[in-house]
Amino acid sequence: MTTLSDINELRLSGFNHIDALISEGPDWNFVGRTAPFYLQYTFSISTGNEAGQGGQTAFSPAQQAATRTALAYLREVTGIWFIETNNGGAAQIHLASINIPGDDVTGLSSWNTAYTPPRSGTTVNDYSVQAYVYLDNVEFRTPNADLTPGGSGYETLLHELGHTLGLKHPFEGDIKLPYEDDHTGNTLMSYDSVGGPYSTYGQYDIAAFNWIYGGDGLGGQYGAGGRMDYLTGSNDAERISGSADSERLEGAGGDDVIDGLGGVDEASYIGARAHYDITKIEAGYVVRDRVGDEGQDVLVNIESLVFADGKVFFAYESLVQALYVGYFGRAADYNGMRSFQQQLGALHAPEDVRGLAAAYSQNAGLHALVDSFAASAESAALYPGATTTFINALYQNVFGRAPDPGGLAFWSHAIDSGSLSRANASLSIMAGALDNKTAQGVLDAKLVNNKLIVASGFTLMIDTPQEIAGYGSAAAAASVRAMLGAVTASTDLIAYQTTIGATLKSMTGPAKAMANVEYGDPIVHVDLIGIGHQPWEQTLV
């Protein structure tokens, strides 16, 4: 549904480098709010010409070819599909050459909109746009005749297409770029040339396009008119904060702090997953670009990461690690993490250990999922003995020490009497540790927290098929248990990243392969713990 407020004023982002480029139109997002979501363009000058404008000459075949290249690039940037038509009456974007008045005007873009004012309410049902891109064919005939990317004519074409898609000059309007930032090195919409000619848009242009179109075109999930805003930073180090709503946030460059605040938020990166290191810290996560120039970002209140080849989800990540560390004394493996995240999400499980422990007896699906740890082949191999042996092992996993006599007796009786399953005992022991406010309890909670952070760091470091396969044997699991067993309440978690990396490297050989992982694979259960497909699973995922 398009409203008058949609087409009268595009909501601003609150970021100067974006808002200084936002024009009052032409609001392509609100044209034809039903599929197909594309714009038609034409080089025809026989029909569809702008009212009151004469003297058009058609683009040459070379100019047309270069324009198709520019529109293909714009599709990559905005996600908008541009389809060529020879019928000028059917097109929304018209391209031609004219003699533009003025000796210093090399290009011109104009547009007009039409809609029927609603008789009541604010809903607009017939919004349409016509846009016209002109290149001068008199004073600037020579540079505009050659629209080869990398030349001044091509930069002019990108500038005018920028206007056509809703960008303004950064020195106009109430919101302007600071003088020192207003140059073509940042935005092709500037009149102040620095470097160039450019064959791609500047960082501020990309940020503005992301805000308007969300990178997924017209009618997509992101951008103006979508379900999620898309906020993009600059190449400088900065703090990028979302709101109470859900957003996609992109640092773009520099060492940034990205805080989603409320909602379910995504942090976006342009490269493949294998090009980045992801590290768990107490505040959230750190993402470091090993290949490009996106820097190192601290992420807070971010629920997922978006890469060029797939997503990494943080939802339930800490909870799954707690289950693995508590029961098996090791970090979750790649497939196990994805499987349990999906199943916990499908069950709408609580996202913390205390909540899951409380929900265990109330939710049959959660009950079965947690108990699958105890039913696994790995459990049978680790805990073949008596209940007391099992409790001693759990305490070593969680606290790195033996239980006190009272605790051993309490938990053993609870399991042997049938009032508590082995899997839920692990969950309950960890939940109790996090709630213990005694001096020993505070130390235990710190130790548990450190182990969970190290476990997260290990699993998040797995980003290639070789590493996924490498962490797939009993010997590999034992080495990860040893790594976690060396963690203490006073471990320097930053320095310990070296140990995490060395542990993973020992499983995959001397060189870390850079092959991409196909993240769209179906979820599979972890053979290592032998869960197998449970009869209740098909109703959950």
Side-chain angles (χ1 to χ4, degrees):
M1 181 181 69
T2 299
T3 66
L4 288 174
S5 61
D6 290 332
I7 59 180
N8 285 337
E9 184 176 359
L10 178 64
R11 183 167 49 87
L12 299 177
S13 70
F15 283 73
N16 175 260
H17 69 285
I18 296 175
D19 297 342
L21 296 178
I22 299 298
S23 173
E24 60 183 13
D27 299 316
W28 294 110
N29 279 311
F30 305 107
V31 173
R33 297 308 298 272
T34 57
F37 297 105
Y38 60 81
L39 300 179
Q40 294 191 85
Y41 69 95
T42 188
F43 300 111
S44 171
I45 60 172
S46 60
T47 56
N49 291 322
E50 185 175 14
Q53 177 65 57
Q56 291 93 335
T57 61
F59 275 16
S60 70
Q63 287 176 308
Q64 292 183 30
T67 301
R68 295 185 189 103
T69 297
L71 291 173
Y73 166 58
L74 264 170
R75 182 193 161 196
E76 294 178 6
V77 170
T78 65
I80 298 173
W81 284 83
F82 298 93
I83 297 178
E84 185 175 347
T85 177
N86 292 324
N87 181 358
Q92 294 143 315
I93 300 174
H94 309 259
L95 301 110
S97 296
I98 62 172
N99 180 12
I100 302 175
D103 295 337
D104 59 350
V105 183
T106 183
L108 177 67
S109 175
S110 66
W111 50 268
N112 59 69
T113 62
Y115 62 90
T116 302
R119 292 185 177 181
S120 61
T122 61
T123 302
V124 175
N125 296 312
D126 59 350
Y127 183 73
S128 63
V129 180
Q130 291 291 310
Y132 305 86
V133 174
Y134 302 114
L135 298 182
D136 183 76
N137 60 5
V138 178
E139 288 85 2
F140 293 91
R141 178 184 181 89
T142 299
N144 285 343
D146 181 5
L147 299 183
T148 304
S152 61
Y154 190 76
E155 183 176 310
T156 296
L157 177 62
L158 290 181
H159 177 102
E160 301 307 332
L161 288 172
H163 284 312
T164 299
L165 291 182
L167 305 189
K168 73 173 182 68
H169 298 131
F171 52 83
E172 294 176 338
D174 295 333
I175 303 176
K176 303 177 177 64
L177 283 180
Y179 175 78
E180 62 273 15
D181 291 340
D182 183 0
H183 58 78
T184 56
N186 286 328
T187 169
L188 296 192
M189 309 313 294
S190 177
Y191 277 5
D192 189 358
S193 294
V194 173
Y198 295 97
S199 56
T200 58
Y201 286 101
Q203 57 169 332
Y204 295 173
D205 303 321
I206 300 298
F209 281 140
N210 284 345
W211 176 254
I212 301 171
Y213 302 109
D216 59 356
L218 306 179
Q221 178 177 357
Y222 305 100
R227 295 189 298 275
M228 294 177 70
D229 287 340
Y230 193 152
L231 279 167
T232 308
S234 69
N235 291 336
D236 298 327
E238 57 201 330
R239 185 180 186 90
I240 302 171
S241 296
S243 67
D245 298 323
S246 300
E247 290 111 354
R248 175 177 282 193
L249 307 170
E250 182 178 328
D255 297 339
D256 305 309
V257 176
I258 301 176
D259 189 346
L261 297 180
V264 179
D265 303 296
E266 305 171 347
S268 178
Y269 293 88
I270 63 174
R273 163 68 184 93
H275 295 169
Y276 300 82
D277 289 331
I278 307 172
T279 305
K280 172 77 172 177
I281 59 173
E282 289 196 53
Y285 301 86
V286 173
V287 177
R288 182 176 68 89
D289 185 357
R290 297 197 312 266
V291 176
D293 56 3
E294 291 181 271
Q296 179 171 285
D297 299 336
V298 176
L299 308 182
V300 183
N301 298 313
I302 297 294
E303 281 69 39
S304 64
L305 303 180
V306 181
F307 297 101
D309 57 350
K311 280 189 172 184
V312 171
F313 295 95
F314 292 149
Y316 295 107
E317 190 267 341
S318 294
L319 181 57
V320 175
Q321 292 294 1
L323 289 168
Y324 271 81
V325 171
Y327 200 89
F328 294 131
R330 66 175 178 87
D333 48 275
Y334 175 83
N335 286 322
M337 174 60 71
R338 295 177 70 210
S339 177
F340 280 102
Q341 282 178 305
Q342 184 177 20
Q343 292 181 78
L344 288 167
L347 290 164
H348 306 290
E351 294 195 28
D352 62 283
V353 173
R354 301 176 187 88
L356 184 62
Y360 172 85
S361 61
Q362 306 297 320
N363 185 312
L366 288 177
H367 192 289
L369 184 62
V370 172
D371 282 357
S372 68
F373 279 81
S376 69
E378 185 174 6
S379 175
L382 286 173
Y383 313 120
T387 302
T388 54
T389 303
F390 172 72
I391 297 300
N392 273 288
L394 285 189
Y395 266 72
Q396 286 296 330
N397 291 344
V398 178
F399 306 120
R401 58 177 171 81
D404 61 275
L408 178 62
F410 174 83
W411 294 111
S412 297
H413 175 73
I415 293 173
D416 288 339
S417 66
S419 62
L420 189 68
S421 70
R422 284 194 171 195
N424 197 32
S426 169
L427 199 60
S428 299
I429 288 170
M430 186 169 287
L434 296 173
D435 284 332
N436 192 336
K437 303 306 180 184
T438 66
Q440 182 61 52
V442 171
L443 285 175
D444 286 342
K446 179 62 176 174
L447 173 60
V448 169
N449 185 60
N450 283 356
K451 285 193 174 187
L452 295 181
I453 290 175
V454 170
S456 292
F458 179 84
T459 305
L460 290 169
M461 198 174 284
I462 299 172
D463 57 20
T464 70
Q466 292 87 343
E467 290 167 351
I468 293 173
Y471 188 30
S473 67
S479 69
V480 176
R481 286 190 193 94
M483 176 192 73
L484 287 175
V487 175
T488 69
S490 59
T491 294
D492 183 333
L493 297 178
I494 300 299
Y496 211 70
Q497 293 301 310
T498 302
T499 302
I500 296 173
T503 303
L504 182 60
K505 186 177 179 180
S506 69
M507 303 174 188
T508 56
K512 179 168 182 171
M514 294 302 294
N516 291 344
V517 179
E518 177 52 60
Y519 293 95
D521 289 344
I523 296 297
V524 294
H525 283 281
V526 191
D527 294 334
L528 187 58
I529 66 170
I531 293 176
H533 288 275
Q534 304 296 328
W536 43 265
E537 180 187 338
Q538 297 304 315
T539 65
L540 304 181
V541 299

